[in-house]
Amino acid sequence: MGEGADRANLGKIDHIVVLMMENRSFDHILGYLSLEGGRGDVDGLRAGVANEYGGRRYPVHHLGTTVFAEDPDHSASSVDLQIGGGKMDGFAASYAATLLGRGVQDADPAPIMGYYHAADVPVYDHLAREFGVCDRWFSSVPGATWPNRLYALCGRAAGSRDGHPHNLPPLYNEPSFVRHLDAHGISWRWYSSDVATLRMADQLYCLGHRDKFAYFTKTGLPGKAKLNIRVKSEDPSFLEDAARGTLPSVSWIDPSWGLFNPFGFQQNDDHPPADITDGQDLVLAVYHALAASPQWDRTLLVIFYDEHGGFFDHVPPPEAIDDDPQTFGRYGVRVPALIVSPWVEPGSVSHTLFDHTSIIKTILLRFCAADLTHPGRRERLSTWLKAGHPHYMGTRVAHASNLGELLTSNVPRAAPAHEELTAAAAARAAAAGEHQPNPQPPTGWQRHIAAATRLLNSRGHPAGRT
């Protein structure tokens, strides 16, 4: 399918909703589809796949718990070890080194080769069956969280496959794709529970712009007990906007990092040690809100992960075309990606190579396609003279595949019934209310977000706001 046909397919869509989760690989979350789910059309796990370390063989296996206690290392050097020059044989060795470095007694690297299956990720199982899976969606960078999130927002990173040093808050100054939306009067809104990631990526939006940032919800997730939250009644939220049919053209959703949000939500971003059950509840809330929305017929939901988090995947990352090939000339490890829309055929699988810049490519191709063309020298100069000007998004975005190829249905269809999922979520919420989880020490990601939040607050961003 050519870009012209893709663009025609994207014309079926007026609302693009993006949910970016944290730190899981494709095989870890969706590899079961081929191994246990009978999906031979999906390039997932196969029996007998293993890593070796210390004279032992560590095969892939089902994990017995939805909580992964020790966060695997996913720094650039560790990812290089995991990829092993394309052999994908260093995951057990990398995790063993991480555990030893943390002083874990009787360190066992076997869990890094573990995977979840349909009973663990019931919402994903439903979405994979009823909509589309991308089994060639690679993270943009073989490295840490922030470089990958920067590629998703800005089409580039800040010169490193790792984030800022640990003693620096993650505040970057990379021009994001939303500048193009503002330049063309395209509506957008960033929904979150904590301070929005966009505020940390693009300094143009670090303060103010209150109409562009909103809570994900003001009442708690569906099935959860309603909370007594002190927010203004006129403040928007994603769940309210979806219900009212007032979603903007582009919606970006940050999960809850489990920090300072006023709702007290559990961490639901899937970043270890988060319970992936909480992540499933979040995804279900987004899907259910859109399925019940009057805007459903014109909506595309994209669910994907920032990077693999150190978990095993068997597909070697290919080379990438980039403006900085020396540092960013290869994609990162494959991550889960699900494409949900009334225009996606049930059980679809795309083997097209995507990365996080495919989000930017899809959004710009739908709403301001001319901005994908590299501007001439005179045009670049005049643009640079404008404050807060949009920037050309770069070579990676220009060469990225877009998601129009999945929107192949001739007519939109109603969202499939999913009452069993919502009932199960409500039952889990009722049971969880009786057993509060033990507090966990903050992860490195949470410490970075907390540091950035404090710095933004010191600059004038109101405490407790998105």
Side-chain angles (χ1 to χ4, degrees):
M1 183 180 292
E3 193 164 283
D6 289 349
R7 190 172 179 184
N9 280 345
L10 289 172
K12 304 170 182 177
I13 296 299
D14 291 330
H15 308 280
I16 297 176
V17 180
V18 180
L19 172 60
M20 190 178 195
M21 303 290 280
E22 281 276 316
N23 289 41
R24 306 283 173 158
S25 73
F26 184 94
D27 278 344
H28 177 68
I29 293 290
L30 296 178
Y32 79 91
L33 288 170
S34 59
L35 184 63
E36 299 183 7
R39 294 290 299 271
D41 54 341
V42 175
D43 186 3
L45 290 170
R46 299 289 186 270
V49 174
N51 269 193
E52 293 186 2
Y53 168 71
R56 285 188 55 187
R57 187 170 179 272
Y58 295 92
V60 295
H61 61 282
H62 174 247
L63 290 167
T65 175
T66 54
V67 177
F68 201 95
E70 288 289 340
D71 184 19
D73 194 348
H74 41 279
S75 61
S77 59
S78 292
V79 177
D80 289 344
L81 172 60
Q82 293 156 16
I83 293 173
K87 293 180 290 185
M88 311 304 283
D89 62 355
F91 291 86
S94 173
Y95 193 51
T98 297
L99 295 176
L100 289 171
R102 294 175 184 168
V104 177
Q105 299 296 318
D106 301 320
D108 180 11
I112 206 66
M113 303 298 293
Y115 66 87
Y116 294 110
H117 62 192
D120 306 315
V121 288
V123 182
Y124 286 166
D125 193 66
H126 171 87
L127 297 180
R129 185 171 57 253
E130 298 291 350
F131 299 99
V133 172
C134 300
D135 67 3
R136 280 296 184 277
W137 191 302
F138 294 90
S139 52
S140 293
V141 178
T145 288
W146 267 111
N148 279 291
R149 284 192 170 269
L150 289 174
Y151 263 86
L153 304 184
C154 310
R156 58 178 61 83
S160 172
R161 293 192 289 136
D162 288 309
H164 275 331
H166 292 295
N167 62 333
L168 292 177
L171 292 182
Y172 296 90
N173 191 24
E174 300 293 333
S176 64
F177 74 87
V178 298
R179 296 189 182 197
H180 294 267
L181 302 181
D182 278 344
H184 290 271
I186 305 298
S187 61
W188 62 272
R189 183 166 283 155
W190 215 270
Y191 299 96
S192 59
S193 301
D194 310 279
V195 170
T197 49
L198 178 63
R199 292 196 184 278
M200 305 174 214
D202 187 343
Q203 290 296 292
L204 183 63
Y205 300 97
C206 70
L207 300 174
H209 301 274
R210 280 300 310 150
D211 61 319
K212 302 293 188 181
F213 295 88
Y215 296 112
F216 173 73
T217 173
K218 297 185 293 185
T219 59
L221 298 184
K224 306 274 185 181
K226 292 187 180 296
L227 305 172
N228 182 18
I229 304 164
R230 294 181 180 179
V231 294
K232 296 179 180 179
S233 59
E234 65 269 20
D235 283 346
S237 75
F238 175 80
L239 296 185
E240 289 177 321
D241 284 348
R244 294 169 179 164
T246 56
L247 286 174
S249 297
V250 176
S251 302
W252 193 288
I253 300 171
D254 285 338
S256 171
W257 318 125
L259 291 171
F260 308 121
N261 67 80
F263 312 99
F265 291 155
Q266 283 295 112
Q267 179 188 1
N268 59 22
D269 59 357
D270 281 354
H271 189 304
D275 190 330
I276 63 166
T277 301
D278 292 320
Q280 290 294 283
D281 284 348
L282 170 64
V283 175
L284 178 58
V286 175
Y287 170 54
H288 181 69
L290 295 177
S293 172
Q295 295 170 308
W296 166 252
D297 282 358
R298 305 288 297 177
T299 296
L300 167 64
L301 167 63
V302 186
I303 305 161
F304 70 118
Y305 284 67
D306 65 328
E307 34 90 3
H308 74 300
F311 292 101
F312 174 75
D313 191 84
H314 78 278
V315 177
E319 294 183 353
I321 299 173
D322 198 274
D323 293 309
D324 183 0
Q326 184 172 353
T327 305
F328 301 110
R330 185 169 296 280
Y331 294 106
V333 177
R334 205 171 51 143
V335 294
L338 295 130
I339 311 301
V340 179
S341 174
W343 299 94
V344 175
E345 297 285 355
S348 297
V349 180
S350 173
H351 307 302
T352 299
L353 192 157
F354 296 105
D355 85 310
H356 302 343
T357 61
S358 295
I359 296 291
I360 301 175
K361 182 67 168 283
T362 299
I363 290 172
L364 295 190
L365 188 63
R366 170 59 184 88
F367 296 113
C368 37
D371 287 20
L372 291 167
T373 304
H374 200 298
R377 183 176 180 182
R378 180 176 297 179
E379 185 180 355
R380 290 200 303 272
L381 179 60
S382 64
T383 301
W384 271 95
L385 295 176
K386 299 177 183 177
H389 55 84
H391 285 227
Y392 174 64
M393 299 307 296
T395 299
R396 184 76 77 92
V397 172
H399 285 84
S401 301
N402 72 85
L403 297 171
E405 68 170 59
L406 286 113
L407 306 176
T408 56
S409 181
N410 292 323
V411 294
R413 58 191 173 97
H418 53 279
E419 289 82 3
E420 290 185 5
L421 293 174
T422 54
R428 287 195 303 270
E434 303 172 5
H435 306 284
Q436 294 301 318
N438 295 324
Q440 297 289 333
T443 65
W445 170 248
Q446 289 174 323
R447 289 194 296 270
H448 287 181
I449 296 295
T453 301
R454 288 192 295 270
L455 182 54
L456 288 174
N457 292 158
S458 72
R459 294 179 178 179
H461 181 69
R465 303 292 299 195
T466 58

